[in-house]
Amino acid sequence: MATFLYRLGRLAFRRRRLVVMIWIALLAAIGIGAMSSSGTTTDGLTLPGTQSQKAIDLLQKEFPQASADGATARVVFEAPGGQKLTSVANKAEIESLVAKLEKSPQVSSVSDPFTSGLVSKSGAIAYTQVSYKVAQADVSSAAHDVQAEVVQQGEKAGLTVSLGGNAVKDQAKSKIAELLGLAVAAVALVITFGSLIAAGLPLLTAILGVGAAVLSITIATQFFDMGSQASTLALMLGLAVAIDYALFIVSRYRNELRHGHEPEEAAGRALGTAGSAVVFAGLTVIVALSGLSVIGIASLTSMGLASAFAVAVAVVIALTLLPALLGFAGMRIMKGKLLTRRMKALERGEGDAMGVRWARFVTRNPVKVLAVSVLGLALLALPAMSLRMALPDDSMKPPHSTQRVAYDTLSKGFGAGFNGPLTVVVDARDSKDPKAAAADAGTRLAKLTDIASVRPAAFNEAGDVALIGAIPKSAPTSQATKDLVTAIRDQSAALHKDTGADLMVTGLTAVNIDVSAKLSAALIPYLAIVVGLALVLLMLVFRSILIPVKAALGFLLSVVATLGLLVAVFQWGWLKDLFGIDQTGPLVSLLPILLIGVVFGLAMDYEVFLVTRMREEYVHGAEPTHAIVQGFRHSARVVTAAAIIMISVFAGFLLDDAALIKSIGLGLASAVFFDAFVVRMTIVPAVMALLGHRSWALPAWLDRIMPNVDVEGEKLHHALAAEQANTAAEPVLANVAAGALSDSESHTVAPAFISTNGSGSAASDTDTATTASALPQHHRGRTRRLPGLKQRRSRGGDTAATEPNSSPVRKPRMKLPWKK
């Protein structure tokens, strides 16, 4: 893979104009397709195999006029203070509004509040139920316009009119979250690189990638059922990973330039090394998100696949468009006019970065650091034991939205359970007396303690299937309502024994309960699949057993700590004012399992980018502790910037008014924080310091049968070294760095591929760096110097010698081809 990506990077660099033109044409085509797309998203749920779905299928067959899968809306009326809706003027106004709704496009039926008993006991609140012939996604703009006209007309008459139900269009969402995330990402990139060009490339590629992904999802809505939150999640993840992937490649590209390579060669090497890690990291995210489809919930499947597609686009852009843009940037990407004095000193190799100092601290005190970190995450995870889940309803809408006002008004007028009516279906097709069976079912329902009211049965034309409405006393998302649904279903066996009829419960509340139960049951198996996948993939990458186990356990710690934080905030109400949460309740059922899929991918990103550099140092002969510190020297700054960018992008969604988006934003932001800074940068080096050489142990028989994926590009290094040795025109002089020699295409070779000195051993880093910086660089037969480039190693000789606590570099385990 590394060799292929090396060639791809050089090809895209050389053919940069063609690559950019292809991407511009592709984006234009996608944009035109999205503009002409008439598809819509949906919040509908289908649950094959559940009782609620079975009842819906029966209603569609026996009650076609009821439009069991059709959209519904509740138009709620509230009289001015001190008045009643039953007054002559208010009643006439409401009847006029009802008549207007009956003439609305796509409407199948509209109930009259005064003849259907839909007026509260106080007479101040009433509502009408509007049923549509089409599903939620197909409700036309003309129908939405009538809803808006009814609200305006009623408010002119002095009434408070609000709309609830799935047929009501959500308010347009603000884009401030995305803009805030981009702004923080831009600042983090400028601080990391000290260059506007280097900082701008990741942002540019991320915007283009997210745009292509979201527009493609818009086109997909015309052919597939897509959940309404699919594009939002794809935007969040696509933006975050696209910036991160470009950040890693640009950082490696700049490092290759510092080592004396020409830009084209540097682009090839950057893609062959960091690009390989990007491919693997992106693959883990894609697999984890795509795995959500095995749960069998259409909306969750669409969210997972849409997000996986956004990640795939980010990977492709990082591997093709980014090296082409690097070709346009050339050497200007090295101009760091915004660097601070401290950053300039680090660029010259003077002093140690904070990441290096932190790695030394952790490796000196591994037991204490490990104990504090694990204990802290464990304490945060304790609230997760009280986790309750439910699907979002109108109670989770923004406080001032019309859906939320309608929900609160109905609760005030009719009770908390009125917003969660249950539809009880009596299937009496095998009963000798269907009417008696329906009456028996109604009697059984009325005896249940949490039932507020039971409406008389309504039969189909054949008279063998009955529909009974039941109103709970408790709120739709409460545990009492969930217990009530279970109690009603428990009556089915007794009813069938006495009458031959079956009893089923459906409706939005019952569907939500079934979805939550299915997701809860799938949580542990899905977690096991993801953890198992992590073990296999990381074993392939690091050729170790203990490192994958450590990574998987760290991932579990991140997940349970995040769930504990979410329970404390959204369920218990801790710090709810800080996050703008107006009421507490169960977590959204989709969130925990979605969190597992997303966090797994992101955790593997940081694990790969950080530990591959450690392995690279280790296989070159460094002692385990020294390899850890050197891994932090090369990767900690970039991983830190990547984590800050992701946290910023996700945290920006806390500004959204919807509780669902808030919970996703807080969950992903906190999970990235825990995993990047507590697990990967604290627990990982502490555990590896304690394990020492055992971290990299792999049984010989397993080593023989496992493929070598070469994420760190070791094979590429060997191939380039062999190519340089084969194409050398004359003997290598003593103490002359390979960075001064040219390969077959007249590009300089990295100083890592050093020549031999007079004694036949490898030249020292000091000799290499000094000679490389003194000799002119060659480009296509022309001699020129690279202004402003500093050789990192030319300050103070071997880096290993500067490590006060590191052991002498041990003999390499493998014979390197450029060593004599």
Side-chain angles (χ1 to χ4, degrees):
M1 177 187 293
T3 303
F4 168 76
L5 292 178
Y6 167 79
R7 294 171 179 169
L8 177 63
R10 294 190 61 173
L11 176 64
F13 190 98
R14 287 196 306 270
R15 306 295 185 185
R16 47 188 174 272
R17 290 179 177 81
L18 177 61
V19 172
V20 170
M21 289 176 62
I22 291 174
W23 271 106
I24 291 175
L26 183 61
L27 287 171
I30 295 174
I32 294 172
M35 291 174 62
S36 59
S37 175
S38 58
T40 57
T41 59
T42 177
D43 286 324
L45 292 171
T46 56
L47 293 172
T50 62
Q51 187 185 104
S52 56
Q53 188 64 47
K54 183 180 179 181
I56 289 174
D57 296 339
L58 179 61
L59 290 178
Q60 290 176 342
K61 178 181 177 182
E62 301 296 336
F63 291 85
Q65 73 280 5
S67 300
D69 63 341
T72 59
R74 283 181 173 180
V75 184
V76 183
F77 310 99
E78 185 173 11
Q83 297 184 23
K84 292 187 176 182
L85 295 176
T86 52
S87 66
V88 177
N90 289 335
K91 183 177 181 180
E93 181 63 30
I94 291 176
E95 289 175 344
S96 172
L97 297 177
V98 170
K100 192 178 189 69
L101 288 169
E102 289 175 342
K103 298 177 182 179
S104 175
Q106 302 176 319
V107 167
S108 62
S109 64
V110 179
S111 59
D112 189 322
F114 303 102
T115 60
S116 304
L118 305 181
V119 181
S120 66
K121 293 181 180 179
S122 65
I125 297 174
Y127 76 96
T128 180
Q129 184 81 12
V130 183
S131 299
Y132 291 84
K133 300 175 183 178
V134 297
Q136 172 195 358
D138 299 322
V139 176
S140 65
S141 58
H144 289 307
D145 292 340
V146 172
Q147 295 173 0
E149 292 172 5
V150 167
V151 173
Q152 293 174 0
Q153 181 179 332
E155 290 180 345
K156 287 181 180 179
L159 302 175
T160 300
V161 184
S162 52
L163 306 172
N166 61 0
V168 181
K169 188 176 182 180
D170 285 329
Q171 297 176 350
K173 297 177 181 178
S174 172
K175 300 299 181 183
I176 189 172
E178 294 91 328
L179 295 176
L180 180 62
L182 279 176
V184 177
V187 173
L189 289 169
V190 170
I191 293 175
T192 302
F193 292 124
S195 166
L196 290 178
I197 295 178
L201 288 181
L203 287 176
L204 177 60
T205 54
I207 294 172
L208 293 176
V210 167
V214 173
L215 291 175
S216 299
I217 293 170
T218 302
I219 297 174
T221 59
Q222 192 166 354
F223 306 99
F224 308 100
D225 292 332
M226 303 291 292
S228 59
Q229 305 296 338
S231 59
T232 301
L233 183 63
L235 175 64
M236 294 167 64
L237 281 179
L239 188 63
V241 300
I243 294 175
D244 280 2
Y245 295 163
L247 170 64
F248 290 122
I249 293 176
V250 170
S251 177
R252 191 61 180 250
Y253 174 73
R254 284 161 55 93
N255 286 339
E256 296 296 338
L257 289 178
R258 291 192 188 97
H259 283 93
H261 297 117
E262 289 296 317
E264 181 181 328
E265 179 72 9
R269 290 175 181 267
L271 238 66
T273 51
S276 298
V278 164
V279 171
F280 175 81
L283 180 62
T284 59
V285 182
I286 292 170
V287 170
L289 292 172
S290 301
L292 294 173
S293 58
V294 303
I295 297 172
I297 298 177
S299 61
L300 189 60
T301 298
S302 66
M303 293 173 71
L305 293 179
S307 302
F309 176 75
V311 174
V313 172
V315 173
V316 173
I317 279 189
L319 299 180
T320 56
L321 181 60
L322 181 58
L325 295 178
L326 291 176
F328 287 105
M331 298 301 301
R332 289 174 295 176
I333 202 170
M334 299 300 296
K335 295 180 179 179
K337 296 181 179 180
L338 302 177
L339 291 173
T340 63
R341 183 178 301 177
R342 170 66 176 165
M343 294 169 65
K344 290 179 180 178
L346 292 175
E347 291 285 338
R348 294 191 301 267
E350 299 173 359
D352 290 321
M354 184 180 297
V356 175
R357 296 198 300 270
W358 172 251
R360 288 173 179 161
F361 171 77
V362 172
T363 53
R364 289 170 183 168
N365 306 278
V367 176
K368 295 178 181 178
V369 169
L370 182 62
V372 172
S373 301
V374 172
L375 182 61
L377 291 179
L379 290 175
L380 283 173
L382 288 178
M385 299 175 65
S386 303
L387 175 66
R388 291 192 300 115
M389 297 190 295
L391 280 184
D393 55 16
D394 285 348
S395 66
M396 296 184 181
K397 296 291 185 181
H400 302 296
S401 65
T402 185
Q403 295 99 323
R404 179 62 178 278
V405 172
Y407 184 96
D408 294 340
T409 303
L410 287 175
S411 297
K412 181 173 63 175
F414 298 93
F418 202 78
N419 284 291
L422 302 176
T423 301
V424 181
V425 180
V426 181
D427 184 2
R429 289 176 294 181
D430 296 331
S431 176
K432 296 180 180 179
D433 190 350
K435 291 188 177 180
D440 189 1
T443 302
R444 293 173 185 270
L445 292 176
K447 292 180 181 179
L448 297 176
T449 56
D450 201 47
I451 288 287
S453 63
V454 178
R455 293 180 182 173
F459 285 88
N460 62 343
E461 292 183 2
D464 54 4
V465 177
L467 199 61
I468 302 175
I471 305 297
K473 294 180 181 178
S474 305
T477 58
S478 66
Q479 183 63 38
T481 300
K482 184 184 295 185
D483 295 339
L484 174 63
V485 171
T486 302
I488 295 175
R489 288 172 173 171
D490 289 342
Q491 298 292 323
S492 181
L495 181 67
H496 182 79
K497 181 179 179 181
D498 295 341
T499 65
D502 293 321
L503 184 148
M504 296 178 288
V505 184
T506 187
L508 181 60
T509 301
V511 169
N512 289 353
I513 290 173
D514 287 345
V515 170
S516 298
K518 189 168 185 175
L519 288 173
S520 298
L523 188 62
I524 300 301
Y526 180 70
L527 186 62
I529 292 173
V530 168
V531 171
L533 177 65
L535 292 174
V536 173
L537 292 178
L538 292 181
M539 193 178 297
L540 289 174
V541 173
F542 298 122
R543 310 194 71 78
S544 165
I545 293 180
L546 294 180
I547 286 181
V549 171
K550 171 262 304 174
L553 293 177
F555 158 69
L556 290 176
L557 275 176
S558 300
V559 169
V560 294
T562 302
L563 289 177
L565 177 64
L566 291 174
V567 169
V569 174
F570 288 91
Q571 194 171 305
W572 293 357
W574 293 5
L575 302 176
K576 66 176 185 178
D577 294 334
L578 176 64
F579 295 108
I581 302 168
D582 62 308
Q583 72 174 32
T584 59
L587 292 184
V588 178
S589 301
L590 301 176
L591 183 57
I593 204 160
L594 189 64
L595 192 67
I596 291 173
V598 174
V599 174
F600 165 74
L602 302 182
M604 296 307 103
D605 281 3
Y606 300 129
E607 183 77 13
V608 170
F609 289 124
L610 191 62
V611 181
T612 49
R613 293 309 296 260
M614 299 180 188
R615 183 174 186 270
E616 188 173 343
E617 295 293 330
Y618 182 78
V619 298
H620 280 79
E623 287 296 320
T625 300
H626 178 59
I628 294 171
V629 175
Q630 288 299 95
F632 269 74
R633 183 185 301 279
H634 293 295
S635 302
R637 184 177 175 185
V638 178
V639 171
T640 299
I644 291 174
I645 290 170
M646 279 201 174
I647 292 170
S648 303
V649 171
F650 294 146
F653 287 85
L654 285 169
L655 300 177
D656 198 289
D657 292 331
L660 172 62
I661 302 301
K662 279 181 179 289
S663 61
I664 291 177
L666 179 61
L668 293 178
S670 56
V672 171
F673 176 82
F674 294 147
D675 198 86
F677 295 113
V678 181
V679 174
R680 306 302 154 191
M681 289 195 170
T682 305
I683 293 178
V684 165
V687 171
M688 293 181 68
L690 291 173
L691 292 175
H693 292 288
R694 290 171 294 179
S695 297
W696 308 101
L698 183 69
W701 63 269
L702 187 58
D703 184 47
R704 287 192 299 269
I705 64 175
M706 282 176 52
N708 188 357
V709 295
D710 190 32
V711 172
E712 70 276 6
E714 189 67 21
K715 291 181 179 178
L716 174 63
H717 290 174
H718 290 201
L720 293 176
E723 180 181 353
Q724 181 228 342
N726 292 334
T727 57
E730 49 189 38
V732 180
L733 299 178
N735 294 329
V736 176
L741 300 175
S742 298
D743 64 6
S744 59
E745 295 188 32
S746 300
H747 291 283
T748 54
V749 182
F753 304 134
I754 59 178
S755 60
T756 57
N757 58 25
S759 62
S761 60
S764 68
D765 288 347
T766 305
D767 296 337
T768 298
T770 303
T771 310
S773 61
L775 292 176
Q777 306 295 322
H778 299 274
H779 179 63
R780 302 191 184 278
R782 300 188 304 273
T783 302
R784 67 179 177 89
R785 294 182 180 274
L786 302 180
L789 292 184
K790 306 295 183 181
Q791 293 296 335
R792 185 181 300 276
R793 292 181 174 178
S794 64
R795 309 297 192 267
D798 191 358
T799 310
T802 65
E803 302 291 345
N805 291 333
S806 63
S807 303
V809 176
R810 62 185 176 83
K811 183 179 180 181
R813 295 190 169 200
M814 56 186 297
K815 185 176 181 180
L816 303 180
W818 58 86
K819 300 287 187 179
K820 301 293 182 181

